[in-house]
Amino acid sequence: MAGNEAAGAGAGAGPAGKDRSMALQKEMIADHFRRLEAAPETHTPVVYTLVPGNLTELIRSFGALPVLPEINALQSGMRGRSRDYIAEAERAGHSEDVCTYVKCDIGMLKSGNIGPTGTRIPPPDLLLLSYTGCYTFMKWFELLREEYRCPTVFLQIPYQGDGRLAPEHRRYIEDQIRNEVIPALEKATGRAYDEDRLRTSLSLAARAEDDLVSVLQSAKSRPSPIDAYFGAVYYVGPIFSSFRGTEEGAAYYRELRGEVEARRAANEGPPTPSGVLNDQKYRLVFEGPPNWTSFHDFWRMFADEGAVAVASTYTKVGGTYDFGFRHDASDPLGTMADYCGGCYTNLNLPSRIEMLARYVREYEADGFVVHSVKSCNSFSAGQLVILREVEKRTGVPGTFIESDLVDPRYFSPANIKNRVESYLQMLAARRAATGAEGARSAGATEASA
Ligand code: SF4
């Protein structure tokens, strides 16, 4: 997904590059891809899986390395390679309407499967599909199965149609993990399930999740020490990709938290492509995944105008930790069931609306931006309803911007810049009018006193 597709943008050079956490992240990701390339020689099993509902701790407890195709796609987008990969997939018969993450991944595969850091990605020993709300996930892994002809295991996650995971849903997921996923991993890796190892990994995950939440919630400060959409895709990179539940992952989030706390203590804003954003005129909430092919240009359109993101839904596609979920080592299978069920892609429309409205209120946002990507029905379906409903509940106006994830044909810089500037001017005019109205009422109160 959108996921997620999370992010994992960390392998690209970012504006946060001066921070030690960024250097750490780049090294971790480069090392992961080196280990993947060496996997056939080191006989390390490789498991492909998707960001929402990923069972990274479980996969790693079998000594296997995860590969996240969405992360590869978005990084290919950031590195300017997605156009060719998408063209390759379209030549192979995938239509223009197919999710561009899928086409980017298939195009990369057909071009030799060289990953974003320039190393070869080995074929999977197992395809582990956690099905968390997006139908495309299933078709994508079906295509990969056709290509690789390898074992596949399908974890069916019930959709939160009623806005919650019922006890029987939880049991259903747990049973599948116990009776299908674990045996498939045992077969693919030749190792027995080791619950103690898994528990250690889940404890490390919870530690990293605590630190990530602290980082994301720091945006409640003024000025915000982080950009919670563009900047935060770097922050969620390790936890959304291969490092949740690892020592390196936990160390990265401890380091990042320290850096962000230091910025907050110094009343400093976040690094952006336009420099450090101390003068924050607008606090915005974002819905939808970013565009990756013009990521920094898109970010600059907001940063140049003094707009900072204070919260976003996209940074929750790999887990909604800020609403309290933590991996729980005392209940390994149950906690994985809860995690999968609670991913953003598995939430219904009312839950998404409530999440956004809550962000607008709790982070005292001046506005919110719905970024609708052509590729992703999972995100785009219902976004206009979301826009109207969040405006109604919060009294804060939103705006709607359209482009795509990794297909550069759908990013129109002039139109988008125009839309962003007009929206921010409208927020400024609204603020001025509210200020004048406030001053008039204060004057009237004084006069009557
Ligand atoms: S349609 Fe959206 S959620 Fe589904 S795979 Fe594509 S980007 Fe991800």
Side-chain angles (χ1 to χ4, degrees):
M1 130 82 294
N4 203 308
E5 299 73 74
K18 64 175 184 156
D19 292 334
R20 203 181 105 72
S21 64
M22 179 56 83
L24 207 59
Q25 180 179 149
K26 282 178 78 171
E27 186 43 45
M28 282 158 61
I29 291 175
D31 183 54
H32 180 66
F33 279 103
R34 280 194 294 270
R35 288 170 64 201
L36 277 172
E37 186 172 47
E41 287 79 52
T42 57
H43 304 290
T44 306
V46 172
V47 177
Y48 285 21
T49 197
L50 293 165
V51 173
N54 72 79
L55 301 179
T56 297
E57 297 84 0
L58 184 65
I59 292 170
R60 282 191 174 267
S61 76
F62 283 91
L65 289 173
V67 168
L68 289 302
E70 315 107 299
I71 303 283
N72 296 337
L74 76 86
Q75 289 187 339
S76 296
M78 285 184 107
R79 287 156 191 267
R81 298 193 187 133
S82 54
R83 183 191 296 269
D84 291 345
Y85 291 155
I86 288 168
E88 182 70 38
E90 286 179 357
R91 274 196 295 278
H94 299 282
S95 93
E96 209 178 299
D97 289 331
V98 171
C99 165
T100 49
Y101 272 175
V102 179
K103 285 191 289 187
C104 188
D105 184 44
I106 298 288
M108 186 179 92
L109 188 165
K110 293 198 172 295
S111 311
N113 231 12
I114 303 299
T117 58
T119 52
R120 187 176 299 279
I121 298 179
D125 294 286
L126 179 70
L127 291 169
L128 165 50
L129 171 58
S130 288
Y131 178 71
T132 51
C134 172
Y135 182 68
T136 302
F137 291 157
M138 195 150 62
K139 304 313 286 179
W140 190 346
F141 268 48
E142 206 176 337
L143 288 167
L144 293 183
R145 187 178 62 178
E146 289 303 304
E147 291 286 343
Y148 291 117
R149 310 224 165 251
C150 67
T152 309
V153 63
F154 179 58
L155 175 61
Q156 169 81 50
I157 309 298
Y159 187 64
Q160 285 206 22
D162 298 330
R164 67 190 184 93
L165 205 59
E168 61 271 24
H169 293 154
R170 191 177 193 263
R171 275 197 302 279
Y172 174 57
I173 303 170
E174 271 187 80
D175 287 349
Q176 290 177 80
I177 297 175
R178 184 182 298 107
N179 302 324
E180 290 171 45
V181 177
I182 289 176
L185 280 161
E186 287 184 321
K187 198 164 171 202
T189 63
R191 281 202 192 195
Y193 173 54
D194 180 343
E195 195 157 277
D196 287 340
R197 205 169 173 201
L198 175 61
R199 284 181 202 273
T200 305
S201 192
L202 292 169
S203 300
L204 287 166
R207 226 161 75 192
E209 288 156 2
D210 274 342
D211 288 336
L212 173 64
V213 169
S214 165
V215 166
L216 295 176
Q217 292 188 338
S218 71
K220 289 182 180 171
S221 302
R222 288 173 186 259
S224 168
I226 64 162
D227 182 286
Y229 183 58
F230 298 103
V233 302
Y234 294 95
Y235 304 155
V236 295
I239 212 162
F240 279 16
S241 54
S242 311
F243 296 97
R244 207 184 56 221
T246 65
E247 294 280 359
E248 304 114 283
Y252 165 79
Y253 283 100
R254 189 47 49 96
E255 181 74 31
L256 175 66
R257 182 176 182 167
E259 283 169 3
V260 170
E261 279 174 2
R263 274 211 297 274
R264 175 156 61 171
N267 276 330
E268 268 180 27
T272 77
S274 310
V276 173
L277 186 53
N278 285 329
D279 183 16
Q280 299 176 3
K281 297 190 181 75
Y282 309 98
R283 295 167 62 81
L284 302 177
V285 168
F286 281 76
E287 146 71 10
N291 164 274
W292 298 108
T293 49
S294 298
F295 182 79
H296 290 112
D297 291 341
F298 192 26
W299 187 353
R300 214 175 275 115
M301 289 176 197
F302 292 92
D304 282 350
E305 302 295 324
V308 67
V310 289
S312 63
T313 53
Y314 174 71
T315 50
K316 314 298 152 40
V317 289
T320 47
Y321 307 110
D322 58 340
F323 290 164
F325 171 80
R326 296 288 181 279
H327 280 91
D328 176 4
S330 70
D331 179 14
L333 303 195
T335 202
M336 289 191 287
D338 290 335
Y339 166 72
C340 292
C343 287
Y344 189 72
T345 49
N346 206 45
L347 303 186
N348 67 2
L349 218 51
S351 304
R352 295 181 192 207
I353 289 167
E354 180 46 35
M355 183 187 262
L356 271 166
R358 192 169 157 183
Y359 285 155
V360 169
R361 286 192 294 260
E362 289 184 3
Y363 288 78
E364 298 177 335
D366 302 298
F368 65 98
V369 178
V370 176
H371 181 231
S372 182
V373 295
K374 177 193 167 293
S375 276
C376 180
N377 288 334
S378 177
F379 259 94
S380 324
Q383 273 181 329
L384 279 171
V385 176
I386 290 179
L387 178 83
R388 279 197 295 271
E389 196 55 34
V390 175
E391 282 184 335
K392 203 161 84 191
R393 287 190 196 187
T394 62
V396 167
T399 190
F400 198 81
I401 294 171
E402 292 173 277
S403 75
D404 190 49
L405 296 164
V406 291
D407 191 336
R409 292 173 294 186
Y410 297 100
F411 189 86
S412 166
N415 287 346
I416 294 174
K417 193 167 191 311
N418 205 4
R419 175 65 69 101
V420 171
E421 286 175 358
S422 312
Y423 176 62
L424 296 177
Q425 280 163 14
M426 185 273 285
L427 290 186
R430 189 171 181 267
R431 184 184 287 158
T434 315
E437 182 59 36
R440 265 198 299 281
S441 344
T445 311
E446 271 173 35
S448 63

